[in-house]
Amino acid sequence: MKTGRPRVMGIVNVTADSFSDGGQFLDARAAIAHGRLLAHEGADLVDVGGESTRPGATAVALEEELRRVLPVVETLAREGIAVSVDTMKPEVMRAAIAAGAAMVNDVSGFRAPGAIETVASSKAAVCVMHMKGTPETMQAEPFYDDVVREVAAFLAERARALEGAGVAKERIVVDPGFGFGKTRAHNIQLMRGLPAIAALGYPVLAGLSRKRTIGDITGRPVSERVAGSVAAALVAVQNGASMVRVHDVKETVDALKVWWEFEGEKRGP
Ligand code: 9MG
């Protein structure tokens, strides 16, 4: 059984078309201000991304992604805020780590040539996520025989590959990738199957914040999914997640404090 209070990763999208904030933080100064706000609200780290991974999103060129992400990572890290960089590109990983990123969050599971070697030659923590397909194609009728078993097998294989390249087990976090090539039914099965993902022996990160499944369940548009997202974060933690990736940090931190007070003792200090 995992121990320790659940952690909160706040989302800072420096993108033109992120599904839930409409590219609000494309300007680096606005993104930096947002990162500071999330840290002030209690985020344990902030996840800075310059390429949208929403369903249907198109890829961003390397130079543009670097231009968006680096000033934000550098400024926040210099101020003592723990920063994760959300990228699939080894060049961005390398530059962001040099700029102070403490974690690399790769929704493609470090499958790009050179990605594993890049993080292995650093001290950064890594979040390895499952995605079926690419953001452009992933929601085109995704199919699994057993989504929990297949996602767990993928994560175990990627974690083994990372460890084989020299990434210490303690640096690895795994993530089932809610919404990444999954239908509402797949996401529900994954949520119920989270204990099997946690049983792999790595901390689990869960990201459901404002996603389509929350909208499908509640019937709410993106702008009204805070309560649904907080509920999903609590269920994820109850089912074994050690960290949740969220837009609404203040609300999630409060909810997790209450959950921890009532339930945390059952899990140990
Ligand atoms: C970048 N990004 C968007 N959704 C995500 C999720 O669910 N997990 C992780 N690790 N990254 C995500």
Side-chain angles (χ1 to χ4, degrees), residues 85-102:
V85 63
D86 154 22
T87 186
M88 297 183 261
K89 298 186 181 77
E91 298 88 343
V92 178
M93 296 176 190
R94 196 171 306 117
I97 291 168

Side-chain angles (χ1 to χ4, degrees), residues 18-21 54-55 208-233 246-248 251-252:
S18 173
F19 77 99
S20 59
D21 54 35
R54 71 193 284 256
L208 291 118
S209 184
R210 301 187 190 173
K211 285 186 179 172
R212 183 181 301 169
T213 289
I214 304 299
D216 289 344
I217 295 170
T218 59
R220 304 276 182 200
V222 165
S223 59
E224 296 174 21
R225 293 181 189 165
V226 180
S229 300
V230 170
V246 303
H247 298 86
D248 303 293
E251 294 81 355
T252 309

Side-chain angles (χ1 to χ4, degrees), residues 95-166:
I97 291 168
M103 177 184 254
V104 176
N105 172 29
D106 183 353
V107 299
S108 71
F110 298 91
R111 282 183 284 173
I116 287 192
E117 293 75 9
T118 299
V119 290
S121 66
S122 79
K123 291 191 165 61
V126 297
C127 176
V128 53
M129 201 197 79
H130 175 273
M131 168 168 59
K132 191 156 194 148
T134 64
E136 216 161 352
T137 62
M138 64 191 180
Q139 289 310 110
E141 297 182 36
F143 174 83
Y144 303 83
D145 286 318
D146 179 336
V147 67
V148 176
R149 196 174 46 74
E150 291 171 44
V151 168
F154 171 86
L155 294 175
E157 184 277 317
R158 297 317 292 157
R160 262 197 312 275
L162 284 156
E163 286 186 58

Side-chain angles (χ1 to χ4, degrees), residues 8-14 35 38 43-50 65 69-70 72-74 76-77 80-88 92-93 95-97 99-107 110 119 124-128 171 173 175 205 243-245:
V8 173
M9 171 190 271
I11 300 171
V12 179
N13 288 317
V14 203
L38 297 186
D44 295 287
L45 77 167
V46 296
D47 191 36
V48 177
E65 193 178 335
V69 152
L70 285 185
V72 183
V73 171
E74 193 169 28
L76 294 177
I81 295 170
V83 177
S84 153
V85 63
D86 154 22
T87 186
M88 297 183 261
V92 178
M93 296 176 190
I97 291 168
M103 177 184 254
V104 176
N105 172 29
D106 183 353
V107 299
F110 298 91
V119 290
V126 297
C127 176
V128 53
R171 289 167 55 195
V173 173
D175 184 334
L205 171 62
M243 188 183 287
V244 288
R245 183 178 181 276

